[in-house]
Amino acid sequence: QVQLVESGGGSVQSGGSLRLSCAASTYIAKPYCWGWFRQAPGKEREGVAAVDSDGSTSYANVVKGRFTISKDNDKNTLYLQMNSLKPDDSAMYYCAVETGGAYCKDGYFPVEWTSWGQGTQVTVSS
């Protein structure tokens, strides 16, 4: 099972930017949905952004236009560029992958992820 390690979290002021990285321990075979979900204390887990093995992307409405997901297949690494951060973006961000062919486009995310990392904390102050 692929291991995922996130990095890049931190504390920023509202309007700032962060770039999260997710290194996979091995090549992820197609088909897959590779993305990020987040969870804040007292809130439900929510999908943030994902990209499938065909390169199609999915974004939550609340981050569309501010966050950009990308991947480097040669490095087995996923990125999440987060701009114009808001206090509501504060959460633990988890990198996750789904390898069962779940639909992963147009704002849809897997209900269950196959594996995920330990998470990286993002804190945005006002």
Side-chain angles (χ1 to χ4, degrees):
Q1 192 169 356
V2 63
Q3 304 297 315
L4 302 170
V5 179
E6 304 96 336
S7 61
S11 297
V12 295
Q13 290 191 329
S14 182
S17 298
L18 285 172
R19 188 193 194 204
L20 305 184
S21 298
C22 170
S25 61
T26 185
Y27 167 78
I28 304 175
K30 297 180 180 182
Y32 62 77
C33 175
W34 195 5
W36 300 86
F37 66 86
R38 67 188 183 186
Q39 189 162 23
K43 295 187 177 181
E44 292 189 357
R45 187 180 74 179
E46 62 174 346
V48 176
V51 57
D52 69 14
S53 44
D54 293 329
S56 296
T57 57
S58 183
Y59 291 96
N61 286 335
V62 292
V63 307
K64 199 175 295 184
R66 300 187 296 122
F67 291 10
T68 302
I69 192 168
S70 62
K71 60 187 172 90
D72 187 327
N73 293 325
D74 292 336
K75 296 182 178 180
N76 294 332
T77 301
L78 184 73
Y79 303 99
L80 184 67
Q81 178 66 44
M82 305 186 295
N83 298 328
S84 302
L85 283 162
K86 305 174 181 179
D88 283 349
D89 294 317
S90 298
M92 186 71 80
Y93 283 70
Y94 297 88
C95 175
V97 66
E98 198 280 341
T99 56
Y103 191 74
C104 185
K105 304 176 185 179
D106 303 326
Y108 288 91
F109 301 97
V111 175
E112 294 291 340
W113 298 88
T114 306
S115 59
W116 53 93
Q118 294 297 309
T120 185
Q121 179 68 40
V122 172
T123 303
V124 185
S125 58
S126 58

